[in-house]
Amino acid sequence: MACGRQFKSTWTACHELARLRFGIEVVPFDGTVRPLEPQMAGDAALWREIAIREGLAEPDLIRLASPWHTDADLGQPAEVVAEEQGRRLGFTGYQPTADALFALFKRLGVDRLIP
């Protein structure tokens, strides 16, 4: 139970970070799976406009993001490895999820891949 609460808390914090960083609405998960691919199906022209306006490095949305791949990764049932079990298996490096996401956003901004 504690791990489940921690997992939910971590992703809630990550959603809040994304909301603040990109100024987007965050919709809480209500049990309905919403694949990314159909949601992004018509977004190529909009992304090109954003990329040109913001001087981004990649105007081609398909070269930048792979919604079907994201769906394949995130659409699977969650597999959680407990911290102690992970360490026994040799995974000793650790970065809090929200910190990793913040660092990723920062790097993608520096590389001019996101506004």
Side-chain angles (χ1 to χ4, degrees):
M1 187 63 112
C3 290
R5 279 194 298 269
Q6 180 61 39
F7 182 79
K8 183 177 181 182
S9 172
T10 297
W11 282 105
T12 299
C14 289
H15 291 157
E16 181 64 9
L17 178 62
R19 184 188 72 76
L20 293 171
R21 171 64 175 81
F22 298 108
I24 59 174
E25 178 187 359
V26 175
V27 179
F29 183 63
D30 64 2
T32 304
V33 176
R34 293 179 180 88
L36 191 57
E37 188 172 22
Q39 291 183 60
M40 293 181 65
D43 290 347
L46 175 60
W47 179 256
R48 184 171 296 282
E49 284 179 34
I50 293 168
I52 291 168
R53 181 184 71 230
E54 301 290 332
L56 301 178
E58 184 53 69
D60 185 349
L61 183 58
I62 297 304
R63 287 179 45 101
L64 181 67
S66 177
W68 68 266
H69 191 271
T70 301
D71 289 340
D73 285 343
L74 299 180
Q76 301 301 316
E79 291 184 26
V80 178
V81 176
E83 187 175 339
E84 183 179 330
Q85 180 185 6
R87 287 188 179 143
R88 276 192 231 129
L89 293 170
F91 297 98
T92 57
Y94 172 78
Q95 182 177 24
T97 304
D99 292 355
L101 193 58
F102 181 77
L104 174 63
F105 290 164
K106 185 174 182 177
R107 179 61 196 221
L108 292 173
V110 166
D111 290 346
R112 301 301 304 147
L113 292 171
I114 61 174

